[in-house]
Amino acid sequence: MNTKRTNIENVPKAVVNRLSLYLRELQQLMRAEKMTISSTNLGRRLGLTAAQVRKDFAYFGQFGYPGIGYRCEELAAEIRQILGTDRVWPVALIGCGNLGQALLGYKGFKKQGFRIVAAFDVDRSIVGTEIESLKVHHLDELLSMSQALEIRLAILAVPSSAANSVVEKLVEAGILGILNFAPVTLNLPKSVSIVGVDLAMELEQLAFAVVKQGERQ
Amino acid sequence: MNTKRTNIENVPKAVVNRLSLYLRELQQLMRAEKMTISSTNLGRRLGLTAAQVRKDFAYFGQFGYPGIGYRCEELAAEIRQILGTDRVWPVALIGCGNLGQALLGYKGFKKQGFRIVAAFDVDRSIVGTEIESLKVHHLDELLSMSQALEIRLAILAVPSSAANSVVEKLVEAGILGILNFAPVTLNLPKSVSIVGVDLAMELEQLAFAVVKQGERQ
DNA sequence: TAGATTGTTAATCGATTAACAATC
DNA sequence: TAGATTGTTAATCGATTAACAATC
């Protein structure tokens, strides 16, 4: 009966991506004290068709009420469970330069269940200092601390030149998911997941969109 | 003849995304002093099929040499021209908190042709100060400075609660592309392009991947 | 009951892959 | 010439949309 719920294997990546988007929108709706939302309205807000919204949820189960829509609280809870963010994830931060420090202070993580519990660097002028009341450790301590704190996720904010050698250490330390800010392709075993955020690439996409729009007429 | 070059309208967004990826990889190859690369090898590095690599380029023209592959320098230049990053883009930064300040110092932008030339905030304790040798202006000056400096792109690093009201000002100021770090859906005219970077969402995607992987056996 | 909206199936659309003649 | 690799067409695959019976 709930064969579908567990058959999580062949869900398109784009669907999982939208799941995060739905969750964010639901949280906004809840802040506005809306109790329910229809697929039509949820879709309209996000620029998606109603059919697509319903189809996306259908991969994981039946969460809606015909004639009513989806109860925001309930649907949000379901999505959190699917994504695995119904619990707190301890996260390691690797690289405490400009960007790393900003990420340490970023409030948005906590709200979605992520907590940076350990920070690492190799720079002697940074190791040992405290940032946002978290002590910065030398990268050599990664393995022991990851095990002690049961860390599975890491944020990689090191220079591109260092990224791939750090990745080897992350893998050794049992890290299973890496959020990579270094603008390079990482080489890793397929058992480890990666999400890349390349800030310059994002601006490139914007530049293209603007140029294209400009050429239209 | 070059009808294809100009028919930039109906290129899938995924292709443009990969264009940025190819460019990044080519730059890495050039640093390693490789002169040419085949679609097979470029694809292997990025986890794509050779056919897909060639098809992607075919949207824009014929850049390769049968029997040889693609000349790295040449292909990189072509991609930059397609993306519109063969010139320097002045960029406005809105919001100079933790994240904004880190972005101001981020070296990766300059390398791809983006220059943050104006920074804005509304916080009295920040306005007037200098960050990375750039003076922070009050948001009220956005319109005049955008016009004076011919700014078309903006990076939005303000709190979610402020995001949508700031967006209205960006639109008024003639901004055509917004890189949004606030975890909310923005309402904007379709003439303005948007790329959203939601850091918590990225971690959610990782969490899901790890949970899924864990369930496999 | 009438109205609204779901979950799901079938039809459509678009993107990826395979294959191969043309080219260097 | 033989070997490598492109650009492109056709075949395949997957994702989105439309439609509608079932449900509240």
Side-chain angles (χ1 to χ4, degrees), chain A residues 9 20 25 185 204-205 216, chain B residues 9 20 25 185 204 216:
Chain A
E9 286 293 322
S20 280
E25 205 64 25
T185 303
E204 282 172 359
Q205 298 298 303
R216 288 217 298 134
Chain B
E9 286 292 323
S20 281
E25 205 64 24
T185 303
E204 281 173 1
R216 288 219 297 134

Side-chain angles (χ1 to χ4, degrees), chain B residues 74-95:
Chain B
E74 208 177 292
L75 183 56
E78 291 282 3
I79 295 178
R80 268 190 227 101
Q81 194 185 90
I82 294 164
L83 292 174
T85 56
D86 52 350
R87 63 184 185 89
V88 174
W89 289 78
V91 178
L93 172 70
I94 323 291

Side-chain angles (χ1 to χ4, degrees), chain A residues 79-122:
Chain A
I79 295 178
R80 269 190 227 101
Q81 195 185 88
I82 294 164
L83 292 174
T85 56
D86 51 350
R87 63 184 185 88
V88 175
W89 289 77
V91 178
L93 172 69
I94 324 291
C96 300
N98 253 343
L99 185 61
Q101 292 184 27
L103 295 172
L104 249 180
Y106 185 63
K107 302 291 191 304
F109 290 142
K110 201 170 194 173
K111 221 173 297 176
Q112 304 302 329
F114 302 99
R115 202 109 354 142
I116 299 178
V117 295
F120 301 91
D121 209 301
V122 292

